[in-house]
Amino acid sequence: MGNTLEPETEGAWGGAPARKADFERIKAAGFDTVRIPVRWHNKSSDKPPYTVDAKWMARVQQIVDWALAEDLNVILNSHHFDPIHDDPLGVAAWHGGVWKQIAARFAGYPEDSLWFELENEPHKNFNHTNLLETLAPALKEVRALHPTRAVIIGGENWSGIKSLETLALPEDPNIHPTFHYYDPFTYTHQGAEWTAPDIPPVGRAFPTTQDAAQLARDVASIQTYMARTGKTPFMGEVGAFDRHIPLADRVKYHRMITDAFAPTGIGVCTWAYTNTFPFYDSAKGRWLPGMLGALGLKEQD
């Protein structure tokens, strides 16, 4: 559900507010899990007790309930908590205070179908030197009410696949690592203005011989990680920017990534549903041709 609950106004980034019908449609297409990214820092006070806007919390709960009602698994996260990436330890208490309220609101929800992801894509000053200390207040608040609920943690540098090599996790069997896969970045983000000043030029093709070799190495790195740690990572995002990449090429990209990682058995969430990097065309009321099939799902009429 990317770019839905992250803008200041819900759905403002290229889409529309979430509707109950979205989750009915997602379930009918064969998906079993939805990841719901939520921006919290602009809906909460930065002073104790860090109160979250009541209407916002209720809206998030409504959307989670819609998804669960369709028998979908839900990953609820904190996304774009911008101050934490500039001053991780200075903002940790605020971040933890927000998670205290999230944990309280979802107390009693089924553990097998609602997971928490503490913070999306650590970057800038938020890195492996301070990651666990920064997330400690949030994890403490979650564990106070949810001692065994699954919690997802991603690593530094936007949680790229290489972050797994040095990602340390707390000693907790119910904490799961995540990584995001937008590789090669020069292909998936070509012409993406938000990557300025180093915007990848438009026209990059995929796959080159080098791309195919790197993909094989990336798959091998996941297998190595699983053997080394005993943990199965989760690919929390994967996608290619639609503005400059033709649909047929996006289909080819997703099919290649899906097929390559399939032997690892890892779970995957694609970015995104219907806003940027879309799979569903809201204007035409249909799934984009070929995109479901690229994920191994049945194409919809």
Side-chain angles (χ1 to χ4, degrees):
M1 297 300 292
N3 288 350
T4 301
L5 294 174
E6 304 99 289
E8 185 65 33
T9 301
E10 182 182 341
W13 292 349
R19 299 177 176 87
K20 188 176 187 298
D22 292 320
F23 301 98
E24 296 168 353
R25 182 181 301 115
I26 289 167
K27 180 65 176 182
F31 293 96
D32 59 18
T33 300
V34 292
R35 181 169 176 258
I36 302 178
V38 182
R39 188 190 295 245
W40 297 96
H41 87 268
N42 61 336
K43 304 293 186 181
S44 61
S45 171
D46 61 354
K47 303 293 190 297
Y50 311 109
T51 303
V52 175
D53 179 81
K55 290 183 179 179
W56 184 245
M57 182 68 82
R59 175 58 173 160
V60 172
Q61 184 177 24
Q62 179 184 46
I63 291 171
V64 170
D65 288 346
W66 283 343
L68 292 174
E70 295 303 319
D71 198 28
L72 288 162
N73 302 312
V74 173
I75 297 168
L76 177 63
N77 87 350
S78 171
H79 210 94
H80 295 311
F81 205 103
D82 295 339
I84 205 169
H85 303 281
D86 292 316
D87 184 14
L89 296 177
V91 174
W94 176 10
H95 185 253
V98 168
W99 270 105
K100 180 178 182 178
Q101 295 164 77
I102 299 170
R105 180 57 65 104
F106 292 98
Y109 274 60
E111 286 196 348
D112 60 343
S113 53
L114 176 61
W115 290 23
F116 293 153
E117 181 182 356
L118 296 182
E119 188 57 41
N120 179 67
E121 294 184 344
H123 58 277
K124 294 173 70 174
N125 298 326
F126 192 9
N127 55 50
H128 286 173
T129 68
N130 53 44
L131 181 75
L132 296 189
E133 186 177 359
T134 301
L135 294 179
L139 183 59
K140 179 181 178 181
E141 297 295 354
V142 167
R143 284 290 175 251
L145 295 177
H146 306 263
T148 57
R149 187 178 300 279
V151 170
I152 295 171
I153 292 178
E156 64 186 6
N157 294 327
W158 308 89
S159 299
I161 191 168
K162 289 188 178 299
S163 69
L164 292 175
E165 296 175 4
T166 55
L167 174 63
L169 295 174
E171 291 294 329
D172 183 327
N174 296 303
I175 288 181
H176 304 276
T178 189
F179 71 99
H180 292 176
Y181 200 79
Y182 290 106
D183 297 276
F185 190 82
T186 53
Y187 174 73
T188 64
H189 282 67
Q190 56 187 280
E193 65 277 4
W194 63 89
T195 64
D198 300 315
I199 302 175
V202 174
R204 167 69 149 90
F206 176 87
T208 65
T209 301
Q210 292 82 2
D211 293 338
Q214 185 60 54
L215 177 56
R217 288 192 292 269
D218 288 341
V219 172
S221 76
I222 293 301
Q223 294 167 327
T224 298
Y225 177 85
M226 293 168 67
R228 174 173 63 86
T229 66
K231 286 185 174 289
T232 301
F234 164 64
M235 187 188 292
E237 294 182 17
V238 57
F241 188 33
D242 53 300
R243 184 180 301 165
H244 302 292
I245 302 176
L247 176 59
D249 290 344
R250 292 181 65 221
V251 169
K252 180 171 65 175
Y253 175 80
H254 276 283
R255 180 175 291 116
M256 190 166 177
I257 302 305
T258 298
D259 291 347
F261 281 95
T264 68
I266 65 173
V268 178
C269 274
T270 59
W271 189 276
Y273 165 53
T274 192
N275 294 343
T276 50
F277 297 54
F279 275 67
Y280 183 79
D281 186 336
S282 294
K284 295 183 178 179
R286 65 172 188 175
W287 293 97
L288 289 170
M291 292 294 275
L292 292 178
L295 303 179
L297 301 175
K298 183 179 179 181
E299 286 292 313
Q300 305 286 303
D301 295 331

